[in-house]
Amino acid sequence: MPRTRKPGRGWLLRLVIAFALAQGAVSMARPAVSYRALSLGADERAIGVIAGVYALLPLFAAVPLGRRTDHGRCAPLLPFGVVLIAGGCALSGTAGSLPAMAAWSGVMGLGHLCFVIGAQSIVARQSAPAEQDRNFGHFTIGASLGQLIGPIAAGYLISERDGAMARTSALALIVSAAVAAVSLGSLRRIEHRTGAAPRRAESAARVPVGRILRSRGVPAGIFISLAVLSATDILTAYLPVVGEHRGIAPATVGLLLSLRAAATIACRLVMTPMLRVLGRTALLTTTCLLAGVLCAGIALPVPVAALAVMLAVLGFCLGVGQPLSMTTVVRAAPPEARSTALALRLTGNRLGQVVAPASAGLVAGVAGTAAPFVMLGVLLLAAAGLGARGDRPRKDDPAPAAVPAPRRRSPADRNRA
């Protein structure tokens, strides 16, 4: 009876807390990096390059890390990732040149990747099939909490008055390093040893990447995740630049980014009933479509109040793509290579984080600071098209209906046997 409850759910709560702190550190550091780069004389193109370098190291590290996780334990990646995040944040705060900032931003990105691969693999490994949507939804609430608190803290700490931006943005980066370090306290007893990992090692090594990518549902899950994360990432990196051009104070920009994150949390809290009412296909398609329109709308010179409403609705729509794409990839991939499949999804994310900001920097340099949001709108509309194709069950998908709970029979039925 208590089969699926064996490990309990305390591990998930601790993981959400750790993820909220680690993501909060990164979400505080990303706009702080942009402001510090601006104080060092960066233009829109340089901001795009620095945002792209954040994803460059992870782009090459994701699949090897996924293979390693398929072969063994996931938990060691978490503290390693936290150390890299804290180091990247602190050293970005002390860097005195744009190349140094880009390099330490890359270290921060690598740390974030290590943490996320380890954490997602733990959720996939320790969740029953029927619990995956819910557990991934709760897991991503940690990311949203971090994205809610981080920008507010950055906006509160960073001031451009009297030429103080260089000093205050450096302070925000040092504080973000301390926040990341605090997450280490929640990483106890996260992973439950099952003894299955050694047996998985041989078969996982035999699953080629090409086969994983050909699994029905994996490419769609990767692209939807890439589009949604690119939107969140460029929004975080470029809203400060838009704010500078439109005369919006850093504290207000921080509140706007946090409003978006709060709406994402609200979305994930009600995701299970939304799935029940709309179904996976309709939910993914509708939210990506609406998010694409709203992203393009940010390019318009609207008042701050209208921008706040747009960002709140956009945040709600962007809350759907990440958890559902995780579940889609986990269910579509061969069971012995799920961590590798999640790593491929993260590789797609990081590819988007390299290409999208770099493209955004070029577009912004040519067409203005609002143009990257139009580019994001197009990307999300393409994701909506993929979502519309549906997430049909595959042969190897566990069907919840296949294991119905046995019903009690009347004494007459029992006597018939």
Side-chain angles (χ1 to χ4, degrees):
M1 268 192 266
R3 263 177 352 200
T4 57
R5 295 285 252 172
K6 252 184 207 166
R9 294 187 64 210
W11 65 271
L12 183 58
L13 177 60
R14 288 191 296 277
L15 190 59
V16 169
I17 292 168
F19 194 23
L21 289 164
Q23 184 65 55
V26 170
S27 297
M28 191 190 310
R30 299 302 301 283
V33 163
S34 294
Y35 281 119
R36 182 154 174 78
L38 286 169
S39 75
L40 292 174
D43 59 10
E44 287 87 353
R45 287 187 184 88
I47 296 288
V49 169
I50 291 170
V53 172
Y54 170 84
L56 195 59
L57 280 175
L59 187 61
F60 300 105
V63 171
L65 285 170
R67 292 284 194 206
R68 179 226 165 273
T69 307
D70 273 322
H71 295 182
R73 295 182 62 219
C74 315
L77 277 179
L78 304 183
F80 181 64
V82 167
V83 168
L84 290 179
I85 290 170
C89 291
L91 291 165
S92 293
T94 57
S97 68
L98 295 178
M101 286 204 70
W104 295 122
S105 182
V107 170
M108 190 199 313
L110 182 60
H112 188 257
L113 176 86
C114 291
F115 188 99
V116 172
I117 285 182
Q120 287 182 7
S121 299
I122 287 172
V123 176
R125 199 174 284 182
Q126 296 184 177
S127 301
E131 296 176 333
Q132 282 174 348
D133 275 333
R134 183 198 66 194
N135 285 359
F136 274 122
H138 289 172
F139 167 69
T140 52
I141 285 173
S144 300
L145 281 169
Q147 289 163 359
L148 169 67
I149 295 162
I152 288 179
Y156 178 77
L157 289 170
I158 298 168
S159 170
E160 56 187 335
R161 285 186 203 147
D162 305 320
M165 191 185 285
R167 180 175 51 79
T168 55
S169 58
L171 173 64
L173 286 162
I174 300 298
V175 171
S176 66
V179 171
V182 172
S183 69
L184 291 168
S186 296
L187 294 179
R188 296 170 296 103
R189 292 176 288 129
I190 291 282
E191 185 175 24
H192 297 90
R193 298 171 186 269
T194 61
R199 287 197 295 275
R200 271 197 305 266
E202 281 181 44
S203 53
R206 286 198 298 268
V207 180
V209 168
R211 183 186 152 198
I212 299 170
L213 289 172
R214 284 193 300 272
S215 301
R216 182 188 177 88
V218 169
I222 289 172
F223 186 83
I224 290 166
S225 179
L226 179 154
V228 170
L229 189 70
S230 294
T232 305
D233 205 55
I234 289 180
L235 201 60
T236 303
Y238 268 84
L239 203 60
V241 182
V242 170
E244 277 286 292
H245 281 73
R246 295 186 190 174
I248 303 171
T252 305
V253 170
L255 284 170
L256 288 171
L257 288 171
S258 296
L259 178 63
R260 188 227 33 101
T264 298
I265 294 171
C267 167
R268 286 165 182 169
L269 288 171
V270 297
M271 187 170 297
T272 303
M274 285 196 301
L275 280 168
R276 237 180 271 131
V277 172
L278 292 174
R280 182 182 293 256
T281 301
L283 187 59
L284 264 176
T285 305
T286 306
T287 52
C288 285
L289 190 63
L290 188 52
V293 173
L294 288 165
C295 261
I298 292 172
L300 302 173
V302 295
V304 173
L307 188 60
V309 172
M310 289 167 68
L311 285 168
V313 180
L314 176 60
F316 192 90
C317 293
L318 292 176
V320 170
Q322 291 290 11
L324 290 194
S325 68
M326 288 178 205
T327 307
T328 298
V329 167
V330 164
R331 291 180 178 178
E336 66 275 20
R338 282 175 175 161
S339 292
T340 306
L342 286 168
L344 285 167
R345 174 185 164 279
L346 287 168
T347 302
N349 287 352
R350 293 307 191 250
L351 182 61
Q353 286 181 301
V354 170
V355 174
S359 306
L362 289 172
V363 169
V366 172
T369 54
F373 297 103
V374 176
M375 182 188 79
L376 283 179
V378 173
L379 194 64
L380 286 163
L381 291 176
L386 270 178
R389 295 176 59 185
D391 182 28
R392 299 185 189 94
R394 292 159 297 282
K395 285 185 288 183
D396 57 334
D397 275 350
V403 274
R407 291 172 179 255
R408 287 194 172 279
R409 294 291 171 208
S410 66
D413 288 334
R414 263 184 254 130
N415 291 338
R416 212 177 283 152

